[in-house]
Amino acid sequence: MATKAVHVSDVPNLDQVPENAASLAIYATRIPTGVDVSKNGKSFPKFTVIGHRGHGMNMLQSTDRRMKAFKENSILSFNNAAKHPIDFIEFDVQVTKDDVAVIFHDNFILYEEHGTVFEKRTTDLTINEFFGYGLQREAGKEGKSLVRKVNGKVVGWNVESDDHLCTLQEAFQKVNPCVGFNVELKFDDNVVYEQDQLIHVLQVIMKVVSENAKDRPIIFSSFQPDAALLIKKLQHKYPVYFLTNGGNEVYADVRRNSLEEAKKLALEGGLDGIVSEVKAIFRNPSAVREIKESNLSLLTYGKLNNFPETVHVQQLMGVDGVIVDLVEEISRAVGEMKTRKGSDEGKRETTDKEVGGGMELSFILNLISQVIQH
C-alpha cells in the first residue's frame, strides 16, 4: 500500500495572495502562441505557464475569491484560462467503470443528501452516474449536491461560476484549440494497481487523445511511476513527465520520495521531464542544474507559484515552466518579466546572479528556503 506517512507543513497564508502581488501591465488581447515542446520533448521554446485544473484549483476554505472563481476541471474554467497568455492547462483524468475518460481530481466524489454525506469512488461510477453530480446540463434538473472535505470538515463546493462535470473528449471538442493540454493520469495513492489495470486505463485515455488531439500540444504526467513508464511505452508522440512531491511527503514507493529518485526514474524510463513541487526545488537549488544537465525538462507546481517573485526566481534558476492557480496574474507577470529582460539586454549585459534591482539570486534562494523551513 502506498500510504502517506510524513507531511511537511505548508507555508502560512498561501491560500490568499495579495491582490497587487502581480500588479503589472495588462494584456489587452490573447495572442495564440502555438507553443509546442521541442522535437525531442526535453525542453520548451520559452518559459511556460500552465493553468492548474484550468483557471486554478478551488480552495473552498480560502477567503480569496479568485480561488473560487470558476469550477475547477470544467470546460468553463478551461476556456476562461485560455483567455490569458498561457501555454497549457493542466487537468486530472480518470476512467469510469464503463470506460469513459472523465476529468475530475478527487478519488472519491462526496455528496450530500438529506443532511447526510455519502462518498463514491470516482472510478466505480458509470458515466451516467458521474454526470448525476453537481450542476446539470438540462435546465430544471437537479444533481446531487457536491461537497468536499477541507481540513477534516465537510464544506459545500460553492464557486462563483459553476459548471457541469465533463469528459476528456468534451475538453478536446469545446476548449480553445490555441491552448495545450497537460493531461495528468490520476490514480489513487492508496491502491496497488496491476499492470493490466494500468494498461487498460491508459489505452482508454490514449484512444480519446489520438482521435481528438489534432495539432493541440499534449503533455502526459503522473504521480504513479508505473503509469508514467507505461504511457511512454504505449506511445512516442507526446512527452511524458513524472510528477513528484520531491520529498515533501514520504511514500512506501521510494521512487516517489525525492528529486534524485524522480530523475533516476525519468532517465531509466526514457521520460521527457519532471514536474516537482516547487518547495523541493527551493530546498535543493542544485537539483535544477542536475536535472537539466541530464537532458530532462523541469516544471514545478505548488502554492508558491502564485507569487510572481518566486516564479521569477525559477526563471533565473533554469526551470522550464510553472503550473499556477492565479492564471491571469502570473501570466501577466511572466509577460512583464520577458519585456523587462528584453529592455535590460538592450541597455547592458545581465547575469543570472541578479534579480530586479540588483538583488542576488543566492540571497533570494536563501530567504525562500528559510521561509519554507519555518
Side-chain angles (χ1 to χ4, degrees):
M1 298 290 286
T3 54
K4 300 177 183 178
V6 180
H7 296 267
V8 177
S9 60
D10 288 332
V11 178
N13 301 321
L14 286 183
D15 61 343
Q16 186 166 357
V17 181
E19 288 284 351
N20 62 354
S23 54
L24 303 168
I26 297 176
Y27 277 77
T29 58
R30 166 162 170 72
I31 303 173
T33 59
V35 171
D36 200 352
V37 291
S38 63
K39 291 183 179 180
N40 67 359
K42 304 295 184 183
S43 61
F44 294 84
K46 65 186 184 68
F47 190 77
T48 298
V49 178
I50 302 173
H52 187 207
R53 304 182 201 174
H55 199 272
M57 69 178 289
N58 295 152
M59 297 186 68
L60 302 174
Q61 77 278 21
S62 176
T63 57
D64 191 333
R65 293 177 62 185
R66 295 171 297 173
M67 300 296 187
K68 296 174 281 189
F70 303 100
K71 182 67 158 288
E72 68 176 43
N73 277 335
S74 69
I75 302 298
L76 179 67
S77 180
F78 299 157
N79 278 324
N80 273 280
K83 292 177 181 178
H84 305 289
I86 64 171
D87 307 295
F88 289 82
I89 52 172
E90 180 271 352
F91 51 74
D92 310 273
V93 176
Q94 304 185 56
V95 172
T96 62
K97 186 178 180 180
D98 50 349
D99 289 343
V100 179
V102 296
I103 299 177
F104 195 75
H105 174 270
D106 300 353
N107 296 314
F108 292 88
I109 283 186
L110 275 66
Y111 64 100
E112 189 171 12
E113 208 166 53
H114 307 300
T116 303
V117 175
F118 301 89
E119 70 175 32
K120 294 284 184 71
R121 183 176 286 279
T122 306
T123 54
D124 285 344
L125 301 171
T126 65
I127 187 60
N128 287 334
E129 290 171 334
F130 178 74
F131 282 155
Y133 297 95
L135 186 69
Q136 295 296 286
R137 296 157 188 260
E138 299 176 32
K141 186 176 180 181
E142 284 194 23
K144 295 176 180 177
S145 181
L146 284 171
V147 297
R148 249 182 174 170
K149 283 184 180 177
V150 178
N151 299 326
K153 296 181 180 180
V154 175
V155 298
W157 202 330
N158 301 316
V159 293
E160 292 191 3
S161 298
D162 205 353
D163 198 11
H164 54 72
L165 303 180
C166 67
T167 66
L168 177 60
Q169 183 172 345
E170 286 180 303
F172 277 110
Q173 294 171 345
K174 299 178 180 179
V175 175
N176 189 326
C178 292
V179 67
F181 284 175
N182 174 187
V183 179
E184 180 182 337
L185 308 166
K186 183 75 176 180
F187 295 92
D188 192 333
D189 292 341
N190 299 310
V191 173
V192 176
Y193 295 91
E194 298 294 331
Q195 187 177 53
D196 289 347
Q197 288 178 282
L198 292 174
I199 290 174
H200 176 76
V201 169
L202 297 177
Q203 286 177 332
V204 170
I205 295 170
M206 267 308 306
K207 185 174 187 296
V208 178
V209 173
S210 62
E211 291 176 355
N212 294 276
K214 297 180 181 177
D215 294 328
R216 190 189 299 269
I218 305 291
I219 301 168
F220 286 114
S221 63
S222 186
F223 283 104
Q224 219 290 347
D226 295 316
L229 296 173
L230 283 169
I231 196 68
K232 188 64 180 179
K233 290 180 179 178
L234 290 172
Q235 59 81 45
H236 302 289
K237 183 175 182 180
Y238 302 114
V240 178
Y241 286 63
F242 179 51
L243 274 157
T244 177
N245 282 312
N248 292 319
E249 300 181 30
V250 178
Y251 300 86
D253 190 333
V254 297
R255 296 175 296 178
R256 302 186 60 181
N257 288 339
S258 69
L259 280 171
E260 183 60 35
E261 286 292 338
K263 185 182 77 170
K264 180 180 176 182
L265 177 83
L267 290 174
E268 291 179 352
L271 306 185
D272 302 282
I274 295 167
V275 187
S276 171
E277 214 288 337
V278 61
K279 286 182 286 187
I281 296 300
F282 286 136
R283 286 195 185 96
N284 183 15
S286 64
V288 177
R289 173 179 49 79
E290 294 167 3
I291 290 168
K292 299 304 292 292
E293 287 179 352
S294 298
N295 197 30
L296 294 169
S297 180
L298 176 63
L299 306 173
T300 67
Y301 72 94
K303 294 177 183 178
L304 282 176
N305 282 350
N306 290 329
F307 294 87
E309 294 82 1
T310 53
V311 171
H312 189 190
V313 170
Q314 290 179 75
Q315 284 184 281
L316 298 178
M317 292 170 69
V319 172
D320 292 297
V322 289
I323 299 173
V324 305
D325 293 302
L326 300 183
V327 167
E328 179 178 359
E329 291 83 349
I330 299 303
S331 62
R332 186 193 309 157
V334 169
E336 172 66 16
M337 292 169 197
K338 292 173 183 174
T339 301
R340 187 169 63 232
K341 181 180 179 181
S343 176
D344 288 345
E345 286 175 350
K347 296 176 182 178
R348 63 179 178 83
E349 183 178 350
T350 60
T351 73
D352 285 353
K353 290 184 179 181
E354 294 184 2
V355 181
M359 195 176 296
E360 287 202 3
L361 177 58
S362 59
F363 173 80
I364 295 292
L365 288 172
N366 183 57
L367 181 62
I368 292 173
S369 177
Q370 289 182 45
V371 170
I372 290 171
Q373 291 173 18
H374 297 285

